[in-house]
Amino acid sequence: MAHGKRMALLVGLLIGALICYGVGMHLGALSLLVVGALLECGFWLRLFKSPS
C-alpha cells in the first residue's frame, strides 16, 4: 500500500474513532463507544504493522 494511502487510512480510522467516542458519550450510546474502540484498535494495529 502506498505511503499516502496508508496515512489516509490511519487518519480516517482515528477521526472515525474520535467521532464515535464523542457522539457515544453525548448520547450515552454504548454501541457507538464499541465501534469507536474497534476503530481505535484498527488504528493501532495498522500503525505498528510494517509497511510492505
Side-chain angles (χ1 to χ4, degrees):
M1 184 180 282
H3 182 70
K5 287 183 181 179
R6 183 171 185 259
M7 291 305 294
L9 178 63
L10 286 172
V11 169
L13 285 171
L14 188 58
I15 289 173
L18 291 172
I19 289 171
C20 286
Y21 282 144
V23 174
M25 290 288 198
H26 181 71
L27 297 178
L30 181 61
S31 60
L32 283 175
L33 295 175
V34 170
V35 170
L38 291 173
L39 288 172
E40 184 182 355
C41 286
F43 168 79
W44 287 111
L45 289 174
R46 288 277 187 181
L47 182 67
F48 291 115
K49 181 180 177 185
S50 62
S52 315

